[in-house]
Amino acid sequence: MNTTSEVDLTARNQVPPSEADRQALEATWRDPAGLVGWFSAINHKTIGVRFIVTAFGFFVAGGLLAAVMRLQLARPQNTLVGPDLYNQLFTMHGTTMMFLFAVPVMQAMATYLVPLMVGARSIAFPRMNAFAYWLYLFGGLMLYIAFALNIGPDAGWFTYVPLAGPDFSPGKRVDFWAQLITFTEFSGLLEAVIVITTVFKLRAVGMTLNRIPLFVWAMLVTAFMVMFAMPAVMLTSTALILDRLVGTHFFNPAEGGDALLWQHLFWFFGHPEVYFIFLPGLGFMSAIIPTFVRRPIFGYSAMVLALIATAFLSFGLWVHHMFATNLPELGKGFFTAMSLMIAIPSAVQIFCWIATLWTGRIHLKTPLLFVLAFFFILVLGGMTGLMLAMVPLDLQVHDTYFVVAHLHYVLIGGAVFPLLGAIYYWYPKITGRLMNETMGRWNFWLFFIGFNTAFFPMHLLGMKGMPRRVYTYPAGMGWDTMNLVATVGAVTIAVSMLLFVINVWRSLRHGQVAGDNPWGAGTLEWATSSPPPAANFDALPVVHGREPLWEAAPEPTQVRGMATGQREVLVTTVVDARPDHRSVFPDSSIWPFISAVATTVLFVGSIFTPWAVVWASVPVAIALTVWFWPRRGETEREMLLEKSP
Amino acid sequence: MMRIVCLLALCLASLTACEREQRRYNAPASPASPASDAGLSRMGPFQPGPAASAASGASSSAPIASAASAPASAASTSLPPTSANPHEENAVAVAEGKRVYRWYNCNGCHATGGGSLGPALMDDEWLYGHEPQQIVATILQGRPNGMPAFAARIPEDQVWKIAAYVRSMSGQLRSDVAPSRSDGLSAGPPEQRRDKETPKPAAPGKDH
Amino acid sequence: MAARRWLARCVAAALAAAVRCNAGEPALGAQSQDALRSAGPQASQVLDLWLLTLGICTAVFAAILVAFVWALWRAPRASAGTPADTTGLTQVEHRPRRVVIVALGASTVLLFVLLVASVSTDRSLAQLVLRDAVHIEVTAHQWWWSARYDNEEAAKTFTVANELHIPVGRPVIMTLRSDDVIHSLWVPNLAGKKDLIPGRTATLTLRADRPGVYRGQCAEFCGAQHAWMAFLVHAEPAAQYEAWVARQREPAATPVAERALRGRQVFLQSTCVMCHAIGGSGAGGQRGPDLTHLAGRTTLAAGALANDAAHLAAWITDPSAFKPGTNMPGHVLPPDDLQALVAYLGTLE
């Protein structure tokens, strides 16, 4: 925040915005320079890019772990990796992909895109957004440092008790896992609050609820799901830490606890979690398809209702992870019905997209290629999901490679392919340059072929008897060839990811310069420059339809009179997005970073002693207090805006 | 820049693998030759009964010195000069000690530390010494008034692990290494939450 | 029911080639572990349901793919500059709407068919006739299986480890418990799996209708050696089974050969008796597999090793060389004692 006397603290923008407006806004909204400035950054685009890059860093790490696993399994009774390391590998792979990549990357994309797509200058609670990012980063670092020190968790990403309990997992390995959950779920919950508030209160004037882009709807619905599901896993991981550290008996049957309690609490979160990953993927699809098919998505209302229905239904499925336990059979049948039913809203989405493709005109570029792969991969994964929903079938293929195949088909087909398409799609907006189209096609085809080569044989492997989570298998079971083929596919995937990383890196300097709207898209983020200025828009937009850049708009189209010398935002009403009031957002601050460091010390300390919760909460309290303490100078500056006409 | 720093830190950290978490799945190296003095600690040439040379009372060092070897050390047949038991740094070893304490029915006489027929193990009174090698000697040789000799029954490396667990019962081990609560009926606070007892020196000539 | 079976058979015929094309597959009879080759009613009913579901899902998948590819193929090409068609924002698009609604209706009907098929298969699985059943109490441990064959007369019960024998054509009721962590008992040729959860008792019922040796494996991650926690189910004709049962009920015979006698002495006066039991010898340890009829088993260490003298000697000396992390400690015995012990264990038919 520029506090020199040259800045006119009461200046307001004109329509159309002048050069003076532009410069004032840039000076007002940009993050400070220097090392301290780097740690104090709170601009949602800065945090968003860091968040996306960090998530992809974890993606690469998790992928490397999987590559080692596949190398071990390429031959029967291989000796590349022993059981202890292998158990850590698959635990770290699952934990990384689910908690450190798949969910955070979606929240990261939302952090960057949602304010731009709804026409806001900033995300809601920008400092809390920064805090959530730092917490996520520190949690992930903690886990990988633990792994490097041979304290990586080794009881699976789902850590079933009693194996993960104090008796059968001595040491601190599982405690690090449980505390990672605390980090990432805390971060995720904060992000959910931020997304909901942004979408409900910071939309552009005129962007009524039924004009919100479908991607924003997907992130909004996901955020609500996060708020209801994540507390379950935080509760259960805390119960596990208490059992291990303090000696409680939540999961000890002899003292009145129940081993199955863990599974219920974990999967009550765990099933919606895959929808935290899947729904944003659907959002990407609905953002990319219209642009490359030159028409809005067919059936907007049905699509929104399908998202909401999926969210509701996803809370009623969790027992399908527990079909092999001795729960009552009739109850399991209910969960079969629900698990089959959730295919219906997904089918709505797929049919509406196909209708959109059918009635559109195709502009085939790399983002669309990745999106089209969804129709093959995710749909196949959905079919195997139907099979798994049926109890008798599940009892044969549960905990075998069939499930490994299914989960990768739905998660990679439903989320990762659309995510890569989204990166190719929004990269020009974020960086100002297009990614290389040729390399993009190589990336796509290698990934598509490699993926199917790696995972399709696993369906058969599971049916032919190979269980999951085994560090090796005997020769002569009929599994050798399929495992080798799967490993070849995994290596192909690795090569394709390498191409992706190279493409991202090289295009930063050598990519073709993109303009504001290289794809000719219709949503608001393309109405500003690439990359966007610090304040997102020179003048806040006013919206009259679902595709503001495609429809001829009546006047007015821009808001006049927002302050340019201070971080003023326009808060609108929830349903109709009428202007409600103006609010001044905070300056950049290092206190979110410091608070995250203090919280990390608290969380990591409490792995070793319960007293850490007491003593380490003191620095946390201090940091938070300083963070929120009102500053006289800020209040006086804000008052100037009140007094000026 | 930040990422490079983190990467370097990770590389440095991986050089110092954590002893507490080491899983030594392979058995300790076999000795160069079976112990010549009467099968105290090795499955030596078959003896018809418990080794006679064990009955030397409370003193711990001499009979064991040539036969016992520190756990996980290759082919060494002499006792470490100090009372170090490397298993006391390793949570997995102590957990195994706890498991075989139950499996070999130590709690038949000692309960889960409170003692019944046998003396309590979780207090500060040690009839035959509290140092690790003294506890190992007690287990291997047996003691008057009913403590059997387990030299022929329990592999020596496991005896060291049991000794480490026994010491954890009175809080001698670090809280991150000592076991937490077990699955099963609760018999008191978990070992890692017990206060450290200061062992009282054994009165000379005392007979249990 | 009949229609379902007919449809299942058609699909089975069509898929037979694809399913059997994997080279190096063991013949059914030598340790098969394969859900696609059912040897009993539970597994067959699941396989029928599988084939029906596979057929429906393949048809739906193909339909979606065809629609998708056709849409792409017939759509005109465009560029970034092509003006977008926003008529859909203001007008209702009737034809696509009708098609989507019909497709959705068809999907819902098919989902309902799957639901009915699933529930009805569930019911048939639960209706296995259990008259004259063999009762086996299975307890899972890290990383082996113990099984006690129950009988109304207590003297007729006996305990085995890792290898079960069951009579062809008679139902088997398995009561499932766990001694430590969650395991899962799964023998795919015969039935679906069931978890063994500490603090809970589960039941699994099955029947083998064809003789053979069916391999099963623990199917719930249970720690370091989850990968090597297999078991074998020998399904045999009634007479063979009864002979086996009679043998299991007998205690181990006192050996006659001098070396075997010496081996028994080694066994009784070493660590072995702390964990293992051999009926009739006085050894009564309960922590490890019962060894009374060890020589009658085809494998050691829960399916990890072939049961012969060389493997047995190596296993006794250093179990962690084969199953790193196993609970059995290593024993360095003098070579004579080791040979004697192995000879003795070899007499335990």
Side-chain angles (χ1 to χ4, degrees):
Chain A
M1 172 70 194
N2 200 333
T3 54
T4 65
S5 54
E6 288 140 22
V7 171
D8 184 351
L9 295 169
T10 59
R12 296 182 178 285
N13 79 299
Q14 300 156 2
V15 164
S18 67
E19 188 55 35
D21 289 336
R22 235 169 257 126
Q23 287 178 0
L25 281 172
E26 186 69 24
T28 303
W29 283 92
R30 69 163 174 245
D31 287 314
L35 189 63
V36 173
W38 195 86
F39 286 99
S40 311
I42 64 166
N43 190 298
H44 78 97
K45 297 184 293 300
T46 314
I47 299 293
V49 168
R50 287 181 195 176
F51 213 148
I52 295 171
V53 170
T54 307
F56 270 96
F58 284 122
F59 179 59
V60 168
L64 289 173
L65 296 168
V68 177
M69 286 161 59
R70 276 312 328 158
L71 287 174
Q72 163 66 9
L73 292 174
R75 290 184 305 117
Q77 293 171 265
N78 202 358
T79 52
L80 181 68
V81 160
D84 186 41
L85 181 57
Y86 189 88
N87 294 344
Q88 289 186 66
L89 285 177
F90 78 72
T91 306
M92 289 292 294
H93 170 74
T95 307
T96 301
M97 290 307 193
M98 295 300 281
F99 294 114
L100 293 175
F101 167 67
V103 173
V105 80
M106 302 306 182
Q107 294 184 318
M109 297 292 278
T111 299
Y112 191 96
L113 293 168
V114 167
L116 287 164
M117 288 176 111
V118 300
R121 289 219 186 283
S122 168
I123 207 167
F125 310 122
R127 290 176 302 182
M128 188 162 84
N129 189 36
F131 174 71
Y133 166 69
W134 290 117
L135 212 57
Y136 154 73
L137 173 68
F138 294 151
L141 284 179
M142 173 201 76
L143 184 74
Y144 272 85
I145 291 173
F147 179 55
L149 293 174
N150 197 25
I151 330 176
D154 61 348
W157 82 277
F158 50 93
T159 42
Y160 275 1
V161 296
L163 178 65
D167 224 7
F168 297 99
S169 280
K172 292 295 175 188
R173 287 177 169 184
V174 171
D175 301 280
F176 275 96
W177 178 90
Q179 224 33 321
L180 172 81
I181 300 303
T182 313
F183 272 105
T184 53
E185 306 320 323
F186 194 14
S187 168
L189 275 170
L190 295 176
E191 287 292 338
V193 167
I194 289 167
V195 166
I196 293 174
T197 314
T198 309
V199 173
F200 275 166
K201 297 301 291 179
L202 291 179
R203 301 198 308 276
V205 176
M207 187 181 275
T208 59
L209 276 182
N210 69 346
R211 289 175 183 166
I212 301 183
L214 284 169
F215 171 70
V216 177
W217 267 115
M219 294 314 307
L220 178 69
V221 170
T222 304
F224 271 105
M225 289 176 62
V226 166
M227 289 187 59
F228 282 99
M230 272 188 183
V233 76
M234 285 193 74
L235 196 74
T236 201
S237 68
T238 306
L240 182 63
I241 295 187
L242 287 174
D243 265 23
R244 292 176 59 88
L245 190 65
V246 169
T248 53
H249 297 278
F250 288 105
F251 305 116
N252 182 2
E255 286 285 353
D258 187 353
L260 223 50
L261 175 66
W262 169 271
Q263 296 190 28
H264 280 295
L265 284 173
F266 183 82
W267 289 117
F268 183 78
F269 151 80
H271 192 79
E273 188 198 20
V274 309
Y275 288 91
F276 304 164
I277 301 167
F278 182 52
L279 254 54
L282 302 178
F284 292 142
M285 301 281 291
S286 296
I288 294 172
I289 288 180
T291 304
F292 292 92
V293 172
R294 311 310 297 159
R295 59 150 294 163
I297 294 283
F298 168 81
Y300 178 93
S301 309
M303 297 290 273
V304 173
L305 290 172
L307 285 171
I308 296 174
T310 306
F312 269 105
L313 285 173
S314 71
F315 279 88
L317 306 189
W318 82 91
V319 174
H320 71 215
H321 299 271
M322 301 160 65
F323 277 161
T325 62
N326 70 332
L327 293 173
E329 297 301 319
L330 189 60
K332 293 180 194 171
F334 169 78
F335 286 92
T336 295
M338 294 289 277
S339 305
L340 291 171
M341 211 194 303
I342 203 169
I344 297 175
S346 300
V348 166
Q349 301 245 332
I350 292 168
F351 298 150
C352 286
W353 285 321
I354 294 182
T356 310
L357 291 172
W358 192 279
T359 53
R361 289 162 294 167
I362 312 277
H363 178 207
L364 190 63
K365 288 288 183 184
T366 305
L368 187 67
L369 269 183
F370 277 98
V371 154
L372 294 178
F374 174 104
F375 290 95
F376 182 87
I377 299 179
L378 181 284
V379 176
L380 201 157
M383 297 294 125
T384 55
L386 297 179
M387 295 170 185
L388 288 164
M390 300 159 74
V391 176
L393 294 184
D394 186 70
L395 290 180
Q396 281 285 29
V397 292
H398 170 65
D399 251 318
T400 67
Y401 266 82
F402 189 90
V403 180
V404 177
H406 161 72
L407 76 92
H408 286 90
Y409 266 82
V410 288
L411 288 175
I412 296 187
V416 178
F417 269 88
L419 173 69
L420 291 179
I423 298 290
Y424 276 89
Y425 182 57
W426 276 298
Y427 184 92
K429 175 56 56 183
I430 298 175
T431 63
R433 289 179 184 273
L434 287 156
M435 286 175 77
N436 185 290
E437 185 64 26
T438 312
M439 211 185 289
R441 285 177 192 239
W442 274 94
N443 178 188
F444 169 76
W445 283 110
L446 276 174
F447 193 20
F448 185 83
I449 294 170
F451 172 81
N452 283 294
T453 312
F455 291 101
F456 193 81
M458 293 185 186
H459 292 112
L460 208 49
L461 265 178
M463 291 299 289
K464 293 190 85 56
M466 183 171 177
R468 284 174 87 169
R469 300 167 184 144
V470 291
Y471 74 99
T472 188
Y473 53 95
M477 300 294 297
W479 302 337
D480 306 4
T481 315
M482 287 188 278
N483 269 295
L484 188 58
V485 168
T487 302
V488 169
V491 173
T492 313
I493 294 176
V495 172
S496 90
M497 284 301 115
L498 184 62
L499 273 181
F500 175 71
V501 170
I502 292 175
N503 201 353
V504 167
W505 183 256
R506 285 194 70 236
S507 306
L508 274 177
R509 293 286 159 80
H510 306 289
Q512 179 191 337
V513 173
D516 289 3
N517 194 356
W519 309 117
T523 42
L524 272 183
E525 75 273 23
W526 303 101
T528 186
S529 64
S530 303
N536 289 351
F537 300 94
D538 296 327
L540 287 178
V542 176
V543 156
H544 301 274
R546 236 172 248 165
E547 308 279 352
L549 271 62
W550 281 353
E551 301 169 279
E555 289 290 316
T557 55
Q558 289 179 318
V559 174
R560 175 169 56 90
M562 297 295 294
T564 56
Q566 297 192 47
R567 293 186 177 186
E568 189 178 58
V569 300
L570 185 62
V571 180
T572 53
T573 59
V574 174
V575 175
D576 289 327
R578 283 193 308 273
D580 188 48
H581 66 273
R582 289 168 303 172
S583 178
V584 177
F585 267 23
D587 296 335
S588 308
S589 164
I590 199 168
W591 290 98
F593 171 75
I594 295 176
S595 303
V597 172
T599 313
T600 302
V601 170
L602 194 161
F603 286 165
V604 177
S606 62
I607 290 174
F608 295 96
T609 165
W611 282 111
V613 179
V614 172
W615 298 118
S617 63
V618 171
V620 173
I622 294 173
L624 289 176
T625 306
V626 177
W627 171 348
F628 289 113
W629 198 266
R631 284 152 177 79
R632 183 184 303 277
E634 274 181 20
T635 315
E636 283 175 357
R637 282 200 304 275
E638 288 171 31
M639 293 296 285
L640 290 176
L641 285 177
E642 299 287 327
K643 290 176 189 167
S644 73
Chain B
M1 197 265 302
M2 279 299 295
R3 250 151 278 130
I4 298 173
V5 170
C6 296
L7 206 60
L8 265 171
L10 258 171
C11 293
L12 284 169
S14 58
L15 295 173
T16 60
C18 189
E19 170 56 35
R20 182 187 63 234
E21 306 286 342
Q22 276 297 94
R23 273 119 172 108
R24 297 204 168 80
Y25 286 156
N26 296 310
S30 48
S33 61
S36 55
D37 34 300
L40 273 174
S41 56
R42 294 275 165 252
M43 301 303 144
F46 180 67
Q47 302 288 320
S53 58
S56 54
S59 156
S60 58
S61 39
I64 283 284
S66 49
S69 69
S73 63
S76 148
T77 52
S78 61
L79 193 70
T82 65
S83 56
N85 179 356
H87 291 317
E88 291 190 4
E89 301 291 314
N90 187 309
V92 183
V94 178
E96 183 181 340
K98 181 170 181 171
R99 174 172 56 77
V100 297
Y101 178 94
R102 186 169 42 92
W103 280 20
Y104 298 155
N105 202 28
C106 308
N107 48 12
C109 291
H110 294 285
T112 47
S116 59
L117 280 154
L121 299 175
M122 60 198 291
D123 59 2
D124 55 359
E125 290 205 12
W126 295 85
L127 290 164
Y128 304 108
H130 66 277
E131 298 284 343
Q133 79 272 28
Q134 292 170 323
I135 300 173
V136 168
T138 300
I139 298 173
L140 288 175
Q141 299 168 349
R143 292 287 180 251
N145 292 304
M147 171 71 183
F150 285 97
R153 294 282 185 233
I154 305 179
E156 188 178 327
D157 191 53
Q158 275 193 338
V159 173
W160 284 91
K161 291 175 180 169
I162 295 173
Y165 171 61
V166 165
R167 279 170 51 83
S168 80
M169 286 184 186
S170 56
Q172 308 300 320
L173 264 52
R174 276 193 347 248
S175 68
D176 62 319
V177 177
S180 181
R181 71 134 175 93
S182 55
D183 288 353
L185 288 174
S186 170
E191 289 81 356
Q192 68 180 198
R193 296 183 62 74
R194 294 184 191 167
D195 295 325
K196 182 167 172 164
E197 303 280 341
T198 311
K200 286 193 250 180
K206 178 174 173 180
D207 199 16
H208 173 61
Chain C
M1 183 72 82
R4 199 181 80 203
R5 197 146 282 149
W6 173 84
L7 186 56
R9 295 275 148 75
C10 291
V11 179
L15 291 166
V19 155
R20 281 153 179 55
C21 77
N22 196 22
E25 196 178 276
L28 186 76
Q31 294 200 27
S32 182
Q33 183 173 327
D34 187 347
L36 292 170
R37 305 174 99 181
S38 59
Q42 310 288 63
S44 320
Q45 284 167 341
V46 173
L47 196 55
D48 285 343
L49 180 63
W50 157 252
L51 291 171
L52 172 74
T53 310
L54 187 61
I56 293 179
C57 289
T58 307
V60 169
F61 182 59
I64 293 179
L65 262 192
V66 163
F68 162 72
V69 171
W70 196 357
L72 286 177
W73 178 73
R74 71 185 278 281
R77 294 290 172 255
S79 73
T82 309
D85 173 14
T86 56
T87 52
L89 290 175
T90 46
Q91 296 164 16
V92 174
E93 296 172 86
H94 290 286
R95 206 159 160 260
R97 186 202 242 193
R98 262 197 302 269
V99 173
V100 168
I101 290 177
V102 166
L104 205 58
S107 309
T108 310
V109 167
L110 287 173
L111 285 170
F112 196 72
V113 166
L114 289 180
L115 177 63
V116 168
S118 172
V119 174
S120 89
T121 308
D122 250 340
R123 293 194 61 198
S124 337
L125 289 173
Q127 284 165 351
L128 182 70
V129 173
L130 296 175
R131 200 174 40 239
D132 191 28
V134 176
H135 290 258
I136 307 179
E137 236 185 67
V138 177
T139 305
H141 312 258
Q142 281 179 321
W143 292 279
W144 59 283
W145 307 85
S146 71
R148 196 183 75 184
Y149 281 67
D150 284 336
N151 197 291
E152 293 133 7
E153 296 174 53
K156 289 192 175 166
T157 65
F158 59 92
T159 304
V160 299
N162 298 326
E163 292 194 19
L164 307 176
H165 288 241
I166 60 175
V168 169
R170 272 174 71 190
V172 176
I173 302 177
M174 292 190 194
T175 310
L176 307 175
R177 296 199 177 84
S178 169
D179 196 35
D180 37 40
V181 300
I182 300 180
H183 301 270
S184 190
L185 189 135
W186 183 41
V187 53
N189 292 83
L190 294 178
K193 58 182 65 73
K194 202 72 176 221
D195 284 358
L196 294 84
I197 303 174
R200 287 171 174 255
T201 305
T203 310
L204 180 64
T205 57
L206 55 84
R207 192 180 78 214
D209 283 346
R210 277 198 282 182
V213 181
Y214 307 113
R215 189 174 185 271
Q217 210 171 330
C218 174
E220 182 60 63
F221 179 61
C222 53
Q225 284 302 322
H226 166 65
W228 289 112
M229 187 172 162
F231 63 98
L232 293 180
V233 177
H234 300 255
E236 340 182 272
Q240 248 177 290
Y241 169 73
E242 293 302 335
W244 177 83
V245 165
R247 224 169 28 248
Q248 298 302 309
R249 285 186 180 139
E250 288 163 18
T254 311
V256 174
E258 195 215 311
R259 205 157 73 131
L261 255 178
R262 158 120 182 207
R264 192 170 86 150
Q265 252 184 335
V266 172
F267 183 89
L268 290 174
Q269 290 178 305
S270 308
T271 310
C272 319
V273 297
M274 301 294 278
C275 295
H276 291 287
I278 295 183
S281 69
Q286 299 294 310
R287 294 301 176 182
D290 188 295
L291 301 178
T292 313
H293 300 281
L294 176 65
R297 294 182 204 152
T298 53
T299 61
L300 295 174
L305 298 170
N307 187 359
D308 55 51
H311 281 118
L312 189 52
W315 171 257
I316 293 171
T317 307
D318 189 7
S320 281
F322 300 97
K323 276 176 88 161
T326 188
N327 288 329
M328 175 164 158
H331 301 76
V332 181
L333 291 168
D336 285 344
D337 285 352
L338 181 60
Q339 296 307 321
L341 179 59
V342 169
Y344 168 61
L345 293 171
T347 68
L348 299 175
E349 290 284 340

